[in-house]
């Protein structure tokens, strides 16, 4: 398990297949509300308990992309960290996330392409050990650190 690099981000030459980082994020009413504001997604399944209770989910659920954004937090701040830029991301959602859940995000390096300065990452999210989402990200990583 890797920690945040002292510089804020790993450069391409420091990355290798198998590196893994994790982060736990608690889902709150406020996070859901703020995400709705930021994304302009006011679907009542996320915000209205009376409406959501009548759906297949039998209650409110968090936005799928809110949970996915926790993976972005790992990519942008831990592995690879500062300077990493998303190129692409696939996602599959398997189970809903609810207010009060803690999402455990795991990001692992599966490929390092020295020529293109791109890294492929396996992205997984869990709640109480159950896989709630997974996917693959490709990110561009700096080759060297800028001098201060």
């Amino acid at each position: 398990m890797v920690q945040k690099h002292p510089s804020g981000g790993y450069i391409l030459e420091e990355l290798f297949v198998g590196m893994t980082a994790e982060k736990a994020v608690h889902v709150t009413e406020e996070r859901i509300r703020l995400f709705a504001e930021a994304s302009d997604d006011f679907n009542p399944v996320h915000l209205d308990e009376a409406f959501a209770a009548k759906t297949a989910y039998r209650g409110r659920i968090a936005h799928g992309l809110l949970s996915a954004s926790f993976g972005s937090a790992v990519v942008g701040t831990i592995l690879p960290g500062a300077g990493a830029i998303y190129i692409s991301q696939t996602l599959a959602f398997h189970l809903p996330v609810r207010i009060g859940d803690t999402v455990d995000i795991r990001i692992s390096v599966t490929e390092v392409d020295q020529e293109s300065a791109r890294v492929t990452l396996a992205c997984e999210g869990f709640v109480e050990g159950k896989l709630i989402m997974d996917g693959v990200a490709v990110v561009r990583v700096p080759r060297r650190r800028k001098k201060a």
Side-chain angles (χ1 to χ4, degrees):
M1 199 65 52
V2 299
Q3 302 299 314
K4 184 175 180 177
H5 193 278
S7 72
Y10 291 88
I11 59 173
L12 187 66
E13 291 74 18
E14 295 170 330
L15 296 170
F16 57 87
V17 171
M19 291 177 83
T20 301
E22 293 183 351
K23 180 179 183 75
V25 182
H26 190 68
V27 177
T28 64
E29 168 81 30
E30 182 180 22
R31 281 185 191 274
I32 291 172
R33 184 184 54 75
L34 290 171
F35 190 83
E37 289 287 334
S39 66
D40 211 29
D41 178 355
F42 296 98
N43 183 334
V45 76
H46 307 304
L47 303 168
D48 182 337
E49 186 60 43
F51 175 90
K54 297 174 188 169
T55 69
Y57 300 106
R58 297 189 175 143
R60 291 174 57 197
I61 61 172
H63 301 75
L65 290 179
L66 171 61
S67 298
S69 73
F70 304 153
S72 178
V74 175
V75 170
T77 65
I78 304 171
L79 182 68
I85 301 295
Y86 262 92
I87 302 298
S88 65
Q89 172 79 58
T90 64
L91 286 170
F93 298 99
H94 307 292
L95 294 170
V97 173
R98 300 181 186 280
I99 295 169
D101 285 346
T102 296
V103 178
D104 297 309
I105 296 294
R106 182 181 307 139
I107 304 293
S108 301
V109 176
T110 60
E111 184 179 336
V112 178
D113 185 334
Q114 295 290 336
E115 188 173 316
S116 68
R118 293 181 181 191
V119 177
T120 303
L121 305 167
C123 307
E124 299 172 305
F126 301 87
V127 170
E128 296 181 356
K130 295 178 184 164
L131 183 68
I132 55 109
M133 68 180 173
D134 61 355
V136 175
V138 176
V139 299
R140 184 159 169 55
V141 180
R143 293 183 186 273
R144 58 187 121 352
R145 289 186 181 82
K146 296 208 179 212
K147 298 195 192 251

